Amino acid sequence: MAVKGDETRARIIAAARALVEAQGSHGTGLNEVLAVAGAPRGSLYHHFPGGKDQLVGEALAAAGREVDAMIDDLAGTLPAARDLVPAVLDALADRMVAAGYAKGCPVATVALEVASSNEQLRRVCAGIYEGWQRRLADALRADGHAAADVLHAENHDAADDTGNDTADELAATVLAMIEGALLLARASRSRLPVERVRRQVVRLLA
């Protein structure tokens, strides 16, 4: 029974992930999630007593782990950040195109709609983005982007006023570029914004 329950729970989370990424949290109803998952209504409240917010939060967390795993897989063969970051962008773009532009960043749709209205889900989204930014910053540091590399050219100290080093700043910039490229690509239903941003990322990290 425990195994069956775990399978049902996993199906519900997978259904919520797909629906929420494509149409947002507000646009996704619980009945729709259950229909896609092929699960009875009682299982929803059994596995997610916190209701829709809990379900969406767990779906987002699962999506975040999927991107983490993708980064790990790519880093196994592309350890240099100048190679890894464009490959991550390519992988996310491939996923988006395969879904007919219904998917982009698995967190962005919810992040945009709940930023000022749902503190619980906002924190989940923020935590996922912070985790991705840390991973990018670690890769950049390993690739030689030390604190003084860029800031020295601007005659600044090795850290800015917030205490972030160059790798942190560069990681935030790269993540923003990736997110923006995916958003523009979904809006235009074209991969062109991704290709343009990819070229700039390569130049930035060269």
Side-chain angles (χ1 to χ4, degrees):
M1 290 297 293
V3 173
K4 184 176 180 180
D6 290 343
E7 291 175 350
T8 299
R9 191 177 195 281
R11 288 203 314 273
I12 294 173
I13 290 175
R17 281 178 56 189
L19 291 168
V20 165
E21 181 177 354
Q23 57 198 36
S25 177
H26 296 332
T28 299
L30 294 179
N31 287 336
E32 186 179 12
V33 172
L34 292 172
V36 172
R41 189 168 188 84
S43 63
L44 180 67
Y45 300 104
H46 172 71
H47 293 294
F48 306 96
K52 185 176 179 179
D53 282 355
Q54 181 187 354
L55 173 58
V56 173
E58 294 199 32
L60 290 171
R65 291 192 295 271
E66 178 186 328
V67 175
D68 287 342
M70 179 191 71
I71 294 173
D72 287 340
D73 288 344
L74 291 171
T77 55
L78 300 168
R82 61 183 177 274
D83 299 320
L84 174 62
V85 175
V88 169
L89 179 55
D90 287 342
L92 289 170
D94 289 344
R95 177 178 177 274
M96 174 186 61
V97 173
Y101 294 92
K103 297 180 178 181
C105 167
V107 178
T109 303
V110 176
L112 289 170
E113 67 180 353
V114 304
S116 62
S117 61
N118 188 315
E119 181 62 13
Q120 178 181 339
L121 293 180
R122 185 202 66 75
R123 288 198 301 268
V124 172
C125 293
I128 294 170
Y129 281 132
E130 288 167 5
W132 292 345
Q133 185 173 320
R134 283 195 300 271
R135 294 171 73 86
L136 289 172
D138 288 344
L140 289 164
R141 289 189 189 94
D143 209 21
H145 291 274
D149 287 348
V150 175
L151 295 178
H152 176 72
E154 300 173 347
N155 295 318
H156 287 296
D157 294 329
D160 68 7
D161 293 338
T162 63
N164 293 327
D165 64 19
T166 298
D168 290 325
E169 294 295 307
L170 191 53
T173 300
V174 168
L175 181 57
M177 292 173 74
I178 291 172
E179 291 292 309
L182 294 173
L183 176 61
L184 291 173
R186 285 189 71 183
S188 62
R189 296 186 66 82
S190 167
R191 190 164 176 148
L192 182 59
V194 171
E195 299 302 330
R196 287 172 169 166
V197 168
R198 188 189 193 283
R199 290 194 289 271
Q200 297 304 314
V201 166
V202 170
R203 293 190 183 101
L204 182 63
L205 300 183

